[in-house]
Every structure is written in C-alpha cells, then in structure tokens.
Amino acid sequence: MECILNTVLVLVVAAAIPGLVNRTRAVLSGRKGPRFFQHLSNVRLLLRKGAVYSPVTTPLFRAVPSVYLGSAAVAALFIPVGDLDPVLSFDGDMIVFAYLLALGRTAIILAAMDTGSAFEGMGASREALYGALVEPAMMFIMATLALVFGFTSFADVFSSAQPLDIQLTIIMLLAAYLLVKILFVESGRVPVDDPRTHLELTMIHEVMCLDYCGVDLGMIHIAGWLKSASLAILAADAASMTFCLRWWAAAPAAVLAAGLSIGIVESTQARNKLSRNTTFILTIAALAALTFFVGYLLQQNIEIG
Amino acid sequence: MMLFHYLPVVLAAVTAAVFAAPLRAKVWVSLGITAAAGIALTVLSAPALIYGSAQVFESGGTLPLGFGAALSADPLSALFMILIAFTSISTVLYSKGYVGECLRTMPAAHISLHYTALTVMCLSMMMLVFCDGGYPFLFAWELMTIASFILILFDARRKEVRRAALTYLILMHVGFVLLLVGFVRVEMATGRSDFGALAEYCRTAGDPLPLIVVFLLGFGMKAGLFPMHVWLPEAHPAAPSHVSALMSGVMIKMGVYGILRVAAALPEQAPVTETVGMAILAAGIATGLWGVILAAVQNDMKRLLAYSSIENIGVVMIGLGVAVLGRCCGSDTIAACGMCGALLHTLNHSLFKSLLFFGAGNVYSRLHTASLDSLGGLARYMPVTALLFALATAAICALPPLNGFVSEYLIYSGILGGIAGQSSVMLSAAALAGLALIGGIVVLAFAKLYGVVFLGAPRTHDTVEHAGEADSWCIAAMAMPAAGILCIGLFPQAAVALTCRVAAYCFGARAGFSAAAAELLSEGSGALCRTAWILVAAIVLLAFMRRRALRGRTVAEGETWGCGFTAPNVRMQYTGESFSEGLESVVDSLTQNTVEGRAVDKSEIFPTGHSFKVRRKDRVDSLVAEWWMTSLRAINARMMRLRTGKINHYVLFALLFLLSVFLLSVFNLL
C-alpha cells in the first residue's frame, strides 16, 4: 500500500516539476506563460505522432528510447518519498540507482553518435565528460548518507529518521544543496546547459535528441522528468530530515526545491561558458568530498564526546 | 599425476602433432588438445570448488628442485581453471577464422609454430594453477611467457611488432627474476618454496614486508600494475587479436592470481597486512585511473582496449585492497564483498575483454586498420559483430543488467559497508572516489570506441567496399563469452556463491566467516537478479508499447538533421579525437603527444589538403623506456671502444683473458 502511494507521489512530482519551472519563469519574466500542465499536453501530442528516422541510423537508435525510459523508471522505483517505502530496496541500492542513471546516459550518448551528426556528436562528447565528472560527486553524497546513518539503502537511510543532531543538520542541508546542483547537471539546466534555445545553442542535452521525434521524443522527455524527480525527491528527503520527514512534507518540498531553484536560476543567470562547466562540476564534486569529510569529523567528535 | 616426469614428452607430442597436421587441420589439433586438457582439468579440479577444500593429486616420483612434488588444486585454482579453460577454448576457436585468412600468405612452418605456441600457452597456464608455488610454478610461468612471446611475433615482418615483443620479453624477465628471488628467499627461510611456506614465512619472519613487496612487484609486472604497465599497450596492438584476447583475458590474470595468493598468505591481523592492503588499494586506484584516462584519449582500437585492461586490473586491485583492509580490521562482510568483487571482476573481465578483442579482430581482418578515425558506421556492414560488441561494451562499462555491474556492485558494497561500519573510512572514501571516477570515464572511453567505430556514417570508402560480416567461426567463438556475460548478469547468484566459497577459502574459513558473509552476498545477488529482470521487463515492455504505438502511423525516412545546413558530409562527424577533446583538455599533462603534420589553421579560409596525425603516448612509458635505453646506449658506447678492428688488440685481449684465468687459478679464486 505504502509503495503504491510512493510510486504515485514520484509520478506526481515528476509531472509537477516542469510545470512549476515554467510558471516560475513566466512570472519572473512578466509573461503570461503556459498553463501549469501544458508540458503534459505537449508530450501527449508527441505520443500520438508518427516518426521520421535518418537512413544513417541503426536499430540501436530505435531501441534507445525504451532503454532510456526503462532505466529512469526502474531507478525511480528505489526512491522513497519521505518516510514511505519504495517498491525496491535492498542493501547497496544507492549504487544500483547511480548505475541505472549511467545506463540511460550511455544509451542516449550512443544514440546521438548513431545519427552521424556533428551537433549530436558534440552533445554526446560533452554529456560523456560531464557524466564522468559528476559521478564522484554523486558517490560522495551517498557515502555521506551511509556514513551518517550507517545504511547503504535509500529506504533504510530515510526511514531511520531519528531527531537529528544540530551538527548533522548542516551536513544534510549541504547534501540537499549538492543534490539540487547535480540535478542541474543531470537534467541539463542553466547554468550547465540551456534547454530553452532548442536547437543549435543547446549544447548538451537537447542537442542529443535532435533526431528524435514523436513517440521517441515523448519517451525521452518523460525519462528526463523521472530522472529530475528522483534527484529532487532525494534532495527534499535530505533537507526535510532536519525538521519533518513525512511524505506530505517531502513531496511538496521536492517540487518546490527543484521547480523554484531551476526557475529562478534560469530567469536570473546566463548559461556558463562551456569551458567553465568542467570547473562547475568539479566544484560540486569537491564540495561533496568536503561534506563527507566534515561529516566524518563531526561523527568522530560525537563519538568521543 | 606425474606431470613433470612426462612434461618433455607432452611438449614434444604437442609440437609434433601440430607440425604434422595438414595446414587446415592444425587449428583442430590445437583446439582438440586445448579443449581436452581444459575440460579434463576443470572436471578434475571441480571437487575443490564444490567442497571448498584443497585437492592433492599424488605424485609418484622424485625429481630435483621440487619438480616431483604433488600437484594440487584448491578453490582458487579451480576458479582460475574455469576462466582459463573457457577463454582458451573460445580463443582457439576464434583463431580458426582469424588465422584462416593468413593461410595462403604465410609459410606453413610459421602457422605451425603459432599453433604450437598457442597450445603450449594454454597448457602452461593450466599447469600454472595446479602448481603450488616453488620452481614448478616458475617453470610454468616461464613457459607461458615464452609461448606468449612467440605468439606476439605472429606478424614479425613489422618492425613495431618485433620491438613490442622484445619489450615484453625483457620486462617479463625482470618480473621473473623478482619472483625467483622471492621464492628462493622463502626456501632459504623455511626449507620449502610453495605458497604455504610463504604464509609460514609471513607469520614467523620479523619483517616480511620486503619479501611481499618483491612478490607484488613480480606478479604486478605480469598483471600490468602502474607503473609496470608499459608493455601492455605496446604488446596488444602488435599481437593478432585472438592472442590479445588470450593475453588480456587470461594471461594478465595470472599476475592477479599470484597477487591473490600473496594476499591470502598474509597473517590475519598484523601491521604488515594493513600496510600491504593499503599498498594494493593505492596501486589499484593509480592503475585504474591511469588506465582509464589513457584509454579514453587513445585513437587505436587495440591500444584503447589494452589500456582498458590496465584499468580493469586496477578495479580488481581496489576490490582486493578493500578485502585485505576489511580482513585486517576484522570485518568479514567487507572482506567477503571486496574479495568476491575482485574474483568475480577477474572472471568477468576475461569474458568481456576477450569478446571485445574478438570484435576488434573482426574489424581489423576486414579493413586492416585499427585506427578509430578511419572507421565508422560498421554496424550496418557487420551487424552481428556490432551487436556482440555492444553487449561487451555495456558490460565493461558496468551497466546493469550485465556481469560487469555485479562485480563492481560487490566492490562498492564492500567500500560503502566500510564507510557505514566506521572502519577505515578515509581509505574507503579514496577507493570510492577512485572507483566512481573510473566508472564515469570508462563510459566516455567506450562510448567513443563503439560510437566512432560502429555507429554513424562510414568515414572512408574502404569501409564501404571491404566491410562485411566476419567468418562464422569467429562469430561462434564470440558467442561463448557473450553467453557468459548474460548468464552472470541475469543470474548472478551462482557466480557470487562460487566466488564466495573461494573467498572464504582464501581468507581462511574462520568460524562465522562463510555463514554471515555468504548470507549477505546471496541476499545481495538475489536482489540484483530481481532488479536485472525488472529492468529487462521494463525495457521490453516499453519497446513493445512503442512498436504498437507506431503501428499504422507514418514512419518516414529523412536525412539526419543538420540544423539547417543542407550539405552535411561524413567528414563533419565527430571523430574519436574530437570526442575525447574535453577530457584531453583536463588531463593533458598526463600524456606526451607526438604530432605529425600540421593542423588546419583558423586563418585558412579555403584550406588545402592537410595530413595531421597525433599520438598520445604514456609519460610513464617514455620515463621508463627512455631512461633504460639511454643508459644502455651509454654503456654500449663505452664497450665499443674495445672493438678497435685491429687484430693485434684482439690477440692482446685473448692473452689478457688467459692470463686472468691463470692468475685466478693460481690464487685459488676460481
């Protein structure tokens, strides 16, 4: 029962984040903007369309949307919303989560290479590099959770919620902050990439699916939402651990954290120069390592005291 | 088993059989011998694996230097036996198709020599795991080295092949001397020279660290540990593909086998164990990172694969380091996770790396180039090779639901378990960061390899004209490791249980070790199996729904979108070099680049023809190789002064020699 509620909440969060991003951007730029659920209608339209494939592509190109969406969906099954139980959970499921995201990333990189297009090759190359650099950051955050709570499964970490020490609160807030930053990288948002300029200027994420249309593009969009939602919920869980880790607090927190931060950053900042992205991501990794070590020091201190 | 009494006879019989066989039947003779020996010995050693205890085969005779000693198989050697037998058989089968192309152009004696060496190499590795240390072990080790040296020299007309083979031979003998010193030292101290004696030495000697370092260096040379890896990226591009597969899939694992033996010989809780554990972990991180970064910037298929082998050895060493450290601080589960991960990754790597080398061989035998930037779009021309290569690529990137993921998951579990359990947190964090970065960059390296070679549009006319599916023997040989990859990936329980038994044996079946750790591991592998099937089901379901949705709708064909540019051509595609440019800008200082020709300048509005060749060389390579070379040359130049070309001088040298012999014998010094 709990895991059904959990799954439904993940889906709701996934559907709500893009809506909130769009609304925030519209309000901040003084436009009327699209409806809250306009993106759902857009995808429904895509799912009703046919398809055009380049003659250069191989069957791999056609298989990738299913792999991409499948991996994102299975990854989302590991995510607990607040204190609810996710569908899947076992010791070490953090690692499985990270590698499922890697599976989706590899698949979409190969699909981009399959079109033989210079633009998509460019996107693939950058995605591969940024994906490689963001991996240590992700792992350090998971290691921090494992260190602080002594569990290696998301569900165990977040259901072990006891009143947190004030010092660990800082660690959890930092972890949440870094998860939101990783969300920026993983879903290709400003300042790493700018999804609004839909074609040539979008240098990483959107450029990789330039040759997809119709059903395939719809599946890729849904996978992207699920991926964002998974990371956003993790961030919200970590943050709401400090005051109230309940599903009715964590789910709205996830939508607000991701939606508002993406919306505000995109309305107020410009995209990084590409050469600065490497620094940006390495900074996240360095901060994650720092968080881990601070967590370790605090823990030592607590045990001694 | 009186193996060593009859060894000359066996070797002579193998040679005679291969040489006597008709040209086309040589491969079958070789395959017959390898398969018979492999299957027989696997069956013979299977009880060791099933019962988790050592099996000793009685020896009926006496020979000097311990050669008459009994052969034995324990769970560790039984596991490696499976690995050797499996990859050897698929390699010899693959060579049927690969060498078949050279039958007309090469002399028969050459082919015979090649198959003799191939058979002897497989046999020597099987022999190796049955020898419990000492001189018989070293003998098998040397036999393996020499056989592989001959195998590398297959295409000896090329100068770089001879050079690579010589480098290999020299470095392997440096390693051999280290091992010899190690075993002699053990024998001096304990009277025996097997691995059991090494364990005894570690317990009793005051400071066993120097000897262990000697062993680690000796075995590390074969395994390709940083910075002793320099022979690998030279030898693999030089050797024919099936030989690369055998060397990378099995032979370097013999180095790992040796290191595992040494690790198992360490006492349980001692300062030396902790030091060695840290050393192995550090070596693993350095090897893995160096290997994967260098792999990602290579532009030659086989060189890239060779560096990736180095990286995988690094991953295995990280697992082993975690295990040794875990054992040191008394945590069975960490030790079990690390050790199982290391063992399973060794097995997994032999599967996917041999498959990758076979795939590279298919490409090379059709197009006679392994340079990434002159290939492209091969999936269209060789679909089966492309499919199998994709499988191996996904497996080596440790993507679920394949086998590489299972072993990396185990290693990660060990590391995270260490962090969660508050034991050696800092070291675990270092291992975690290293492994995560390796995992990220390996995706880049292999997306580059697969994307540039198999996907996109062909970059040269050569591809269009000559590309075609490989010989069906080659495909059959490739199906073997592919099946292994899928089996371990989708049903990890059996493989994990097997490696768990080996791990328990290696680290001494202490009370509680097997039970608690095995339960944890079987739970973990069961969960992985469920996840794998859920993932497969999700993907298949989605693919099915997508297909249904597209039925009845317009599915058209249209050119790749060029963002409004109407005359795109294949030369605009991303090349291997441009794909890894971002990474190169970060890691530029690690490589030494040699550039031939001139790149197109930005100010050239209408560029004319340019030839531009860049090769990214290993800095360690030049450091090691050039230092040796320059000092050897200097010594040589000094010696050359003696060669004056005057007969009177030479007579004088002869006189001096006789005089010195006379004087030495007079003073009773000889």
Side-chain angles (χ1 to χ4, degrees):
Chain A
M1 203 47 225
E2 261 192 25
C3 59
I4 295 173
L5 178 61
N6 189 65
T7 315
V8 171
L9 281 174
V10 172
L11 292 176
V12 170
V13 170
I17 291 175
L20 186 59
V21 171
N22 289 338
R23 287 308 308 159
T24 315
R25 278 200 327 221
V27 169
L28 285 182
S29 58
R31 288 180 290 124
K32 187 153 173 280
R35 287 181 297 129
F36 192 83
F37 284 116
Q38 180 61 41
H39 58 286
L40 290 184
S41 313
N42 291 349
V43 164
R44 210 174 60 214
L45 189 68
L46 283 175
L47 291 179
R48 283 208 300 263
K49 284 186 177 178
V52 182
Y53 294 110
S54 160
V56 181
T57 56
T58 57
L60 181 133
F61 187 75
R62 273 149 241 221
V64 162
S66 315
V67 176
Y68 192 52
L69 180 54
S71 64
V74 177
L77 293 183
F78 288 101
I79 302 296
V81 182
D83 52 349
L84 295 181
D85 281 335
V87 179
L88 287 173
S89 113
F90 48 87
D91 279 347
D93 65 9
M94 297 173 166
I95 306 152
V96 183
F97 174 76
Y99 273 81
L100 281 169
L101 293 191
L103 170 64
R105 190 189 306 132
T106 314
I108 201 90
I109 288 172
L110 288 180
M113 299 290 284
D114 199 15
T115 59
S117 143
F119 290 101
E120 294 182 46
M122 182 177 72
S125 147
R126 289 171 183 165
E127 172 79 356
L129 177 65
Y130 300 154
L133 297 180
V134 89
E135 201 98 319
M138 193 78 190
M139 282 296 170
F140 264 121
I141 291 174
M142 293 176 183
T144 313
L145 293 179
L147 179 75
V148 173
F149 299 101
F151 294 106
T152 55
S153 148
F154 286 131
D156 290 344
V157 165
F158 293 118
S159 62
S160 73
Q162 65 263 34
L164 274 183
D165 210 294
I166 184 72
Q167 290 160 312
L168 292 182
T169 309
I170 301 167
I171 300 294
M172 294 321 290
L173 285 177
L174 254 174
Y177 168 72
L178 290 172
L179 278 167
V180 172
K181 282 211 151 189
I182 290 176
L183 167 67
F184 285 171
V185 180
E186 287 275 354
S187 59
R189 290 295 184 156
V190 173
V192 178
D193 189 18
D194 191 349
R196 281 170 303 176
T197 54
H198 212 286
L199 290 178
E200 290 82 351
L201 291 175
T202 313
M203 291 309 195
I204 309 165
H205 261 268
E206 308 294 320
V207 81
M208 286 201 297
C209 39
L210 270 183
D211 265 82
Y212 278 116
C213 56
V215 182
D216 296 329
L217 190 60
M219 288 166 87
I220 289 172
H221 280 322
I222 297 172
W225 299 342
L226 282 173
K227 222 161 95 170
S228 311
S230 306
L231 289 167
I233 293 172
L234 281 184
D237 282 347
S240 55
M241 226 169 183
T242 57
F243 53 96
C244 167
L245 186 75
R246 291 267 171 249
W247 60 267
W248 42 262
V255 178
L256 288 175
L260 286 180
S261 61
I262 292 175
I264 292 173
V265 169
E266 287 197 356
S267 310
T268 53
Q269 278 191 26
R271 180 170 60 72
N272 277 343
K273 231 172 93 181
L274 272 166
S275 52
R276 280 210 50 210
N277 272 347
T278 328
T279 322
F280 180 81
I281 299 169
L282 286 175
T283 313
I284 301 178
L287 278 176
L290 191 70
T291 312
F292 176 81
F293 292 126
V294 172
Y296 180 51
L297 292 181
L298 286 177
Q299 189 128 38
Q300 295 300 89
N301 197 15
I302 290 163
E303 283 189 352
I304 294 163
Chain B
M1 281 211 319
M2 295 161 63
L3 176 67
F4 283 100
H5 295 80
Y6 299 116
L7 194 66
V9 184
V10 172
L11 290 181
V14 168
T15 314
V18 173
F19 270 86
L23 192 59
R24 293 196 174 275
K26 289 184 198 303
V27 58
W28 298 120
V29 173
S30 175
L31 183 63
I33 296 172
T34 313
I39 293 168
L41 291 175
T42 307
V43 170
L44 207 59
S45 62
L49 204 53
I50 294 167
Y51 301 121
S53 59
Q55 295 263 311
V56 180
F57 306 107
E58 289 302 320
S59 164
T62 48
L63 282 176
L65 286 174
F67 277 97
L71 296 175
S72 65
D74 59 9
L76 184 62
S77 45
L79 183 76
F80 273 83
M81 189 60 226
I82 295 175
L83 184 157
I84 296 167
F86 194 84
T87 310
S88 298
I89 293 171
S90 64
T91 300
V92 181
L93 188 62
Y94 182 83
S95 74
K96 157 80 179 124
Y98 192 81
V99 179
E101 314 242 318
C102 313
L103 286 184
R104 255 168 279 119
T105 52
M106 293 231 169
H110 200 114
I111 305 282
S112 305
L113 186 64
H114 181 74
Y115 275 117
T116 310
L118 192 61
T119 319
V120 169
M121 175 149 171
C122 297
L123 293 181
S124 65
M125 289 189 294
M126 295 172 192
M127 196 160 88
L128 190 71
V129 293
F130 277 87
C131 295
D132 185 22
Y135 300 106
F137 181 88
L138 284 176
F139 180 81
W141 188 267
E142 182 61 15
L143 202 59
M144 171 175 87
T145 301
I146 290 174
S148 53
F149 169 69
I150 296 173
L151 288 176
I152 296 175
L153 275 175
F154 183 65
D155 194 6
R157 282 166 300 186
R158 275 162 49 207
K159 192 180 160 212
E160 66 267 24
V161 171
R162 295 197 298 269
R163 196 187 126 87
L166 267 180
T167 314
Y168 170 72
L169 195 67
I170 292 170
L171 284 177
M172 282 310 106
H173 281 92
V174 174
F176 180 80
V177 168
L178 288 170
L179 292 183
L180 186 65
V181 168
F183 280 118
V184 168
R185 181 76 192 86
V186 171
E187 194 177 19
M188 277 163 63
T190 62
R192 288 176 305 138
S193 59
D194 50 34
F195 287 112
L198 177 64
E200 196 185 315
Y201 178 88
C202 289
R203 276 197 306 277
T204 54
D207 184 15
L209 190 64
L211 184 72
I212 291 172
V213 169
V214 165
F215 270 112
L216 288 184
L217 288 176
F219 287 124
M221 186 70 89
K222 195 63 136 190
L225 284 190
F226 178 84
M228 297 172 285
H229 64 273
V230 287
W231 63 271
L232 255 157
E234 299 303 319
H236 282 306
S241 288
H242 58 287
V243 174
S244 303
L246 191 62
M247 282 174 40
S248 191
V250 197
M251 196 190 71
I252 60 172
K253 305 296 159 38
M254 294 298 115
V256 174
Y257 173 79
I259 294 175
L260 286 169
R261 286 277 179 208
V262 174
L266 292 170
E268 194 172 309
Q269 272 161 337
V272 64
T273 312
E274 193 173 6
T275 319
V276 172
M278 284 199 298
I280 292 178
L281 187 64
I285 296 173
T287 310
L289 278 178
W290 189 269
V292 75
I293 290 173
L294 266 290
V297 300
Q298 296 305 317
N299 288 316
D300 177 289
M301 275 178 100
K302 295 183 80 180
R303 206 176 287 273
L304 194 156
L305 291 177
Y307 273 112
S308 133
S309 292
I310 297 171
E311 170 250 316
N312 278 282
I313 294 294
V315 172
V316 171
M317 288 300 127
I318 291 177
L320 183 62
V322 168
V324 172
L325 286 172
R327 184 167 178 245
C328 203
C329 59
S331 167
D332 287 337
T333 50
I334 298 174
C337 282
M339 191 69 176
C340 283
L343 288 169
L344 192 58
H345 201 75
T346 312
L347 182 64
N348 287 342
H349 180 245
S350 81
L351 294 175
F352 46 64
K353 191 45 68 69
S354 56
L355 183 50
L356 286 168
F357 269 118
F358 292 158
N362 287 356
V363 172
Y364 187 80
S365 68
R366 291 283 163 184
L367 299 165
H368 302 286
T369 177
S371 159
L372 290 187
D373 293 344
S374 45
L375 297 165
L378 287 179
R380 190 167 303 285
Y381 303 98
M382 26 194 4
V384 184
T385 306
L387 182 68
L388 293 171
F389 206 90
L391 184 75
T393 302
I396 202 168
C397 292
L399 298 178
L402 299 172
N403 65 350
F405 176 66
V406 179
S407 46
E408 290 211 2
Y409 166 84
L410 290 176
I411 297 176
Y412 270 118
S413 300
I415 295 173
L416 282 182
I419 291 174
Q422 309 274 331
S423 63
S424 54
V425 171
M426 292 311 239
L427 288 169
S428 300
L432 185 82
L435 204 53
L437 201 54
I438 291 171
I441 300 178
V442 78
V443 168
L444 190 151
F446 277 87
K448 166 179 163 175
L449 176 64
Y450 192 78
V452 172
V453 173
F454 287 96
L455 303 178
R459 289 186 174 74
T460 55
H461 288 295
D462 228 30
T463 314
V464 184
E465 281 164 21
H466 297 113
E469 192 50 85
D471 189 288
S472 42
W473 290 109
C474 293
I475 301 292
M478 288 168 81
M480 285 176 63
I485 289 173
L486 284 174
C487 267
I488 298 182
L490 293 174
F491 304 101
Q493 290 98 329
V496 172
L498 215 65
T499 49
C500 184
R501 207 167 293 163
V502 178
Y505 174 82
C506 286
F507 281 166
R510 195 150 46 96
F513 181 95
S514 329
E519 196 185 338
L520 183 94
L521 283 171
S522 76
E523 245 170 57
S525 56
L528 278 192
C529 178
R530 277 199 303 282
T531 314
W533 281 105
I534 290 175
L535 181 64
V536 170
I539 292 173
V540 169
L541 184 72
L542 284 166
F544 178 73
M545 279 162 55
R546 177 183 160 280
R547 178 177 276 246
R548 268 194 73 114
L550 280 178
R551 195 183 296 158
R553 295 185 195 163
T554 331
V555 177
E557 227 177 48
E559 288 299 317
T560 297
W561 172 239
C563 293
F565 186 63
T566 50
N569 75 43
V570 291
R571 298 208 329 245
M572 291 176 186
Q573 278 184 102
Y574 251 47
T575 58
E577 182 66 21
S578 47
F579 191 82
S580 53
E581 198 199 354
L583 183 69
E584 274 153 26
S585 64
V586 183
V587 299
D588 196 40
S589 50
L590 298 184
T591 57
Q592 194 171 37
N593 306 334
T594 51
V595 179
E596 282 170 35
R598 194 165 54 84
V600 178
D601 195 60
K602 274 179 189 154
S603 61
E604 281 182 84
I605 299 168
F606 299 106
T608 48
H610 279 268
S611 136
F612 180 71
K613 210 171 182 179
V614 61
R615 174 145 177 236
R616 303 193 180 275
K617 285 170 86 176
D618 202 328
R619 267 192 195 281
V620 178
D621 186 20
S622 50
L623 208 72
V624 175
E626 270 169 29
W627 182 79
W628 279 102
M629 288 306 269
T630 41
S631 35
L632 268 181
R633 283 231 179 85
I635 294 172
N636 240 357
R638 236 168 258 163
M639 294 300 281
M640 285 298 262
R641 277 192 220 150
L642 296 179
R643 209 188 70 174
T644 51
K646 288 181 183 154
I647 197 84
N648 45 355
H649 288 175
Y650 293 157
V651 172
L652 179 67
F653 294 152
L655 187 66
L656 284 176
F657 174 71
L658 289 176
L659 197 64
S660 62
V661 169
F662 172 71
L663 285 176
L664 285 173
S665 54
V666 164
F667 293 113
N668 222 356
L669 291 171
L670 215 56

